[in-house]
Every structure is written in C-alpha cells, then in structure tokens.
Amino acid sequence: MNADNGACSLGVDSQYVELAVEVFSMLADATRVRIILALREKEMAVGALAEVVGKSPAAVSQHLAKMRLAHMVSTRQEGTKVMYRLENEHARQLVVDAIHQAEHALGGMPAHHRAGQATA
C-alpha cells in the first residue's frame, strides 16, 4: 500500500470512508471487542466464547452473526460445533491499537511502551 502511487485508498476522498465508519460502529460494543480479543490466538465455539466474555451464548451468537455479516469473523464446522475465527488480522489490529490509545489516555508510560511487554 503505497499512497504515492495511487495503490492505496487512504485519501480524504476515498470511497471507503463510509465503510470504515461502519467498521468502527461495529467495534463500538464492548462485547464485540472482547470477542475479537478472545479470538486473537485461536478459534473458539460459541459456548467457550460466552464463558470468556461473560455473556450468555445467545447474546454472543447474536454478536457473532453481526460480525460475520461484516466479514470480521468466519466459521467452520467441527462435528456439531461451529468454530469461529477472525477473518483477517485487521479487526484484531484495530482493537489492539484502540486499547493502546486508551492506555495513553491514562497518562504516564503505557504498558505497550515498556520494554519486554507483550502487546498482542
């Protein structure tokens, strides 16, 4: 993605600005952010995700359905279970960056700037 050669869509007149806003809107929910954090390293079934994020399986299923429509997560069947995984690394990176920005809002030296600190 090099903005100088026109191959990138990062200009203020980009056709993707409105879609980017929809992505931020999709991430403007704490449960969805927690789901993305839970799916960073591995795929998970609804029941396991519900346990990790502290919500009912029905609520998590509804969030996952919306995230699937937004192409943030994808699925695969494993026996009778549906396994969810992040569609690509971009939603994960958005969440990591948002959390890092939130750490800056607290002032001082954010954890992600400390030497030897894991961030993702």
Side-chain angles (χ1 to χ4, degrees):
M1 286 189 169
N2 186 341
D4 296 331
N5 68 14
C8 189
S9 310
L10 296 178
V12 296
D13 60 346
S14 172
Q15 64 185 1
Y16 298 106
V17 168
E18 283 77 18
L19 288 171
V21 170
E22 288 183 31
V23 169
F24 285 122
S25 177
M26 181 64 61
L27 293 175
D29 182 279
T31 299
R32 291 186 200 133
V33 168
R34 287 183 174 102
I35 288 170
I36 289 172
L37 289 171
L39 293 174
R40 283 179 309 165
E41 307 274 330
K42 62 181 179 178
E43 61 184 14
M44 298 175 79
V46 172
L49 277 167
E51 224 176 275
V52 168
V53 302
K55 298 290 181 180
S56 72
V60 170
S61 288
Q62 288 178 353
H63 285 291
L64 287 166
K66 290 177 184 178
M67 293 170 76
R68 201 169 164 200
L69 286 173
H71 300 283
M72 290 185 167
V73 297
S74 58
T75 62
R76 74 173 179 84
Q77 195 75 30
E78 185 177 280
T80 59
K81 289 184 181 178
V82 177
M83 303 300 289
Y84 287 85
R85 66 183 171 280
L86 294 178
E87 180 73 27
N88 56 56
E89 75 282 357
H90 299 295
R92 181 199 63 79
Q93 190 61 51
L94 281 170
V95 167
V96 168
D97 288 342
I99 288 175
H100 288 173
Q101 182 62 36
E103 289 178 340
H104 280 277
L106 297 176
M109 175 67 78
H112 64 275
H113 285 294
R114 292 184 199 131
Q117 189 75 22
T119 60

